Amino acid sequence: MVGRKVGIIGAGAVGATAAYSLAMMGTCRDVILYDIVPEVAIGKAIDIAQAAIYSPRGTIVSAAETPADLKDCDIIVITAGVPRKGDMTRADLLMINAKIVKDVVENVKIYSPEAIIICVSNPLDVMTYVVHQLTGWDRNRVIGMAGALDGARMIYQIQKKVGFGSGRTRALVIGDHGQNMIPYPEISAAGGVPLTQLLNQEDMEEIKEKTKDGGAEIVKYLNTSGYYAPGRAIAVMVEAIIDDSRIVMPSSVLLDGEYGYKDVTVGVPIVLGAKGVEQIIELELDDEMKAKFDISVKSIEENINILRNEGFFD
């Protein structure tokens, strides 16, 4: 089992919800919140620490007032970044968030050089690539949180369709964490029964579209992104690493020949355990899925190239 000290950088709704979930489950010994606005991290840490009094195992929840307070973390979760605003171009957003992630990573390398990093900042696949490039760490130690959330959103849609299998529904989403994501109901199951035995093609196409729009649906009602499901998805990944449970979890990872691609981070199924990425699972994709996956990869590469052309990696 790896150590049990987790630092969460970015104490907004997603980061704080992840911290709360970890504290309620008693997964960690220490959870440390850090935010560019220290008062936000301090206030939320106090609130979560008081809630943790009633959790099954004692979790020490605290705030880091400086990056040095994140010393010797076993896992670092990066949620820091800004959302796209109306007057921003895609290149603007990429550069702003890449610079934020760069500042974060420089401090992580100094104070928690042995950590496993879970990247949640958007655009997720590109920011995960940025973390890889800036750390130079082995690729098993940098993981983008994508499939844990997108898979949960897909399971929600499946359960609405079939009406059973709660807790025993499995779903797989690969590709980028965006509009080119690829929900894969053809190899998903409810209660152990393949969806192809339960639903017609029209139902499965509807599940695919609603999964892709899962985040937008929440924004429509709340005027902000969801945070309970992302926060819990982060916590599940942290738990898998700490407990070395070796679960299969689609995640954004750096490919080095898998699926025929190199030097790009994209969502594929992995085995998640104490070392981070224990194994990348290569699915046999048919021609249609290969074409969709290629579109997804190219959309990520296009954004990475924007950063290259702006001189970010120089």
Side-chain angles (χ1 to χ4, degrees):
M1 183 182 73
V2 298
R4 297 164 63 92
K5 186 174 184 180
V6 178
I8 299 176
I9 300 176
V14 172
T17 304
Y20 177 79
S21 180
L22 289 168
M24 291 302 97
M25 296 299 291
T27 305
C28 310
R29 184 191 65 237
D30 295 276
V31 177
I32 306 170
L33 279 173
Y34 175 77
D35 198 271
I36 195 169
V37 182
E39 292 80 8
V40 171
I42 293 168
K44 291 186 179 182
I46 292 169
D47 195 15
I48 296 168
Q50 292 170 353
I53 299 300
Y54 296 106
S55 67
R57 286 182 284 180
T59 303
I60 300 168
V61 184
S62 60
E65 296 188 42
T66 70
D69 295 331
L70 291 167
K71 186 175 176 60
D72 297 331
C73 289
D74 301 292
I75 300 170
I76 292 284
V77 179
I78 303 174
T79 71
V82 300
R84 184 171 176 176
K85 298 175 182 176
D87 58 343
M88 280 185 192
T89 65
R90 184 171 51 161
D92 290 338
L93 179 65
L94 282 166
M95 285 299 292
I96 289 169
N97 279 350
K99 288 175 180 176
I100 291 171
V101 169
K102 183 178 182 180
D103 288 340
V104 167
V105 168
E106 286 175 350
N107 285 314
V108 172
K109 288 170 68 178
I110 294 169
Y111 298 110
S112 292
E114 302 301 320
I116 292 170
I117 294 177
I118 298 175
C119 182
V120 189
S121 302
N122 280 316
L124 186 138
D125 301 280
V126 183
M127 292 304 111
T128 303
Y129 183 85
V130 166
V131 175
H132 272 289
Q133 293 299 302
L134 296 177
T135 60
W137 292 355
D138 291 343
R139 61 180 179 146
N140 64 291
R141 293 175 57 200
V142 178
I143 313 159
M145 189 287 289
L149 172 59
D150 297 328
R153 287 174 170 166
M154 184 175 168
I155 289 170
Y156 171 77
Q157 298 300 335
I158 291 170
Q159 290 182 346
K160 286 180 69 176
K161 281 287 184 188
V162 303
F164 63 84
S166 179
R168 293 195 62 232
T169 299
R170 299 292 176 262
L172 184 67
V173 181
I174 61 175
D176 73 301
H177 183 57
Q179 279 305 302
N180 292 310
M181 74 173 66
I182 308 166
Y184 209 163
E186 291 83 0
I187 59 172
S188 301
V193 181
L195 284 192
T196 52
Q197 302 293 313
L198 298 170
L199 301 173
N200 59 35
Q201 193 60 40
E202 182 180 344
D203 286 335
M204 289 201 286
E205 290 301 321
E206 186 177 343
I207 286 169
K208 292 177 187 178
E209 291 308 310
K210 288 190 173 181
T211 299
K212 289 183 179 182
D213 293 336
E217 182 182 17
I218 293 169
V219 172
K220 181 176 73 173
Y221 292 109
L222 295 181
N223 292 317
T224 186
S225 301
Y227 43 90
Y228 293 117
R232 182 61 189 142
I234 292 165
V236 167
M237 293 182 72
V238 170
E239 289 160 5
I241 295 168
I242 287 176
D243 295 337
D244 193 21
S245 55
R246 298 178 66 86
I247 63 172
V248 175
M249 178 67 71
S251 303
S252 186
V253 294
L254 187 69
L255 299 185
D256 186 25
E258 296 87 1
Y259 294 89
Y261 297 92
K262 285 189 173 188
D263 197 35
V264 65
T265 41
V266 63
V268 294
I270 66 166
V271 177
L272 190 60
K275 295 179 182 177
V277 181
E278 301 276 352
Q279 179 185 342
I280 294 174
I281 297 172
E282 287 196 72
L283 302 171
E284 290 189 16
L285 305 179
D286 61 25
D287 289 343
E288 180 183 355
M289 290 299 289
K290 284 179 181 177
K292 289 180 178 179
F293 193 73
D294 187 65
I295 290 170
S296 197
V297 169
K298 282 184 167 52
S299 69
I300 297 165
E301 290 176 332
E302 183 180 330
N303 284 323
I304 291 171
N305 286 332
I306 289 174
L307 292 178
R308 283 203 182 100
N309 293 336
E310 293 287 334
F312 178 79
F313 298 113
D314 294 344

